[in-house]
Amino acid sequence: MANQQLSTNTFCTAKWIVSPTATDGTHTTIAAALTAASSGDTIFIRPGTYTENLTLKAGVNLAAYDCDAFSGQVTISGKCSFSAAGQVDISGIRLQTNGDFALEVTGANASAIILTECQVVNSNNTAISFTSSNAGSSINLSQCLTFVGATNALFASSSAGSINFIGCQLSSSSTTASTCSAGAMQMANCFSSEPLSFSGTAQLVIFNSSIRTFGTNTTCITTSGTSSGNVSNCWIQSGTAS
């Protein structure tokens, strides 16, 4: 990738840089950078809170610089929506609800979202909505932290695809369960205090994980309909609940 010169006379190798300060990047909003970017590009985002609702673009990735990852210094307060065929990688960014979902995957295409070392925070709405009808669609969280408020859920999935958590810490103070009514949910090497509810034809695979909802005295896992799956090598603790 060719170097470019910003208005501050600073040379950098990143093609697209978003910054609240106009002279420190190529754009001041993520939406504007997405409009300019093409598949194969990565948009790097400087620290700040970006109150935006975004339509993600296939093949265009969003990233905080490594030094800002896991710290919440780069926050998107708003909804990130994706329905196109293809994949989007998001790394080191804090996704935060702002009266709506923080992440929404919809439509009939094979849409894949990969979150790596991100935070997902909800205080006023379900954080993740997954309704894609394509069995090849997926939402994947790896090494992520999630924080769920007292009356909300982390996710609601009715997709034919799969939602997957690997090496994540899912913290919740809510008695409202995350729901999966179709497709699959897989969890590996995670710590979770998020209650889970499966119905319809949903499939669950959970292994090498700790699911502990004793803090809210809530049932850890509820199944109904024809939902089925496998839970192995796990620690499940729910207080006096079922």
Side-chain angles (χ1 to χ4, degrees):
M1 183 181 296
N3 288 340
Q4 67 168 308
Q5 184 178 13
L6 301 180
S7 58
T8 53
N9 290 322
T10 299
F11 287 88
C12 62
T13 57
K15 185 176 180 181
W16 308 113
I17 301 173
V18 178
S19 172
T21 304
T23 54
D24 288 340
T26 60
H27 298 84
T28 56
T29 67
I30 302 169
L34 281 167
T35 298
S38 302
S39 181
D41 290 344
T42 296
I43 298 169
F44 289 94
I45 307 173
R46 292 186 184 273
T49 297
Y50 300 85
T51 304
E52 303 182 52
N53 292 322
L54 304 173
T55 299
L56 302 176
K57 184 183 289 187
V60 177
N61 305 317
L62 306 180
Y65 290 96
D66 284 348
C67 56
D68 299 320
F70 259 132
S71 63
Q73 291 191 62
V74 177
T75 298
I76 299 175
S77 179
K79 180 166 66 175
C80 295
S81 300
F82 189 49
S83 60
Q87 179 176 308
V88 173
D89 289 51
I90 302 174
S91 60
I93 294 174
R94 188 176 194 250
L95 303 181
Q96 180 175 291
T97 61
N98 186 17
D100 203 338
F101 308 118
L103 177 64
E104 179 182 52
V105 178
T106 65
N109 291 310
S111 306
I113 294 282
I114 298 178
L115 304 181
T116 304
E117 295 185 351
C118 289
Q119 296 181 24
V120 181
V121 180
N122 68 332
S123 58
N124 51 24
N125 200 76
T126 298
I128 300 172
S129 175
F130 188 27
T131 62
S132 171
S133 60
N134 193 303
S137 60
S138 64
I139 297 177
N140 306 279
L141 290 86
S142 176
Q143 305 297 322
C144 292
L145 303 175
T146 70
F147 303 92
V148 177
T151 60
N152 302 288
L154 175 60
F155 66 86
S157 176
S158 58
S159 173
S162 62
I163 182 167
N164 310 301
F165 301 88
I166 301 173
C168 295
Q169 180 172 318
L170 315 177
S171 300
S172 174
S173 59
S174 176
T175 59
T176 302
S178 286
T179 60
C180 185
S181 59
M185 190 220 75
Q186 302 180 75
M187 180 182 293
N189 303 317
C190 292
F191 175 86
S192 174
S193 54
E194 174 76 8
L196 303 170
S197 179
F198 300 88
S199 61
T201 58
Q203 305 294 307
L204 68 146
V205 177
I206 305 174
F207 59 93
N208 296 340
S209 295
S210 174
I211 305 175
R212 305 173 68 187
T213 59
F214 64 91
T216 54
N217 209 38
T218 306
T219 301
C220 288
I221 302 172
T222 302
T223 63
S224 62
T226 58
S227 62
S228 62
N230 183 15
V231 179
S232 60
N233 297 322
C234 292
W235 182 10
I236 298 176
Q237 186 178 11
S238 58
T240 60
S242 299

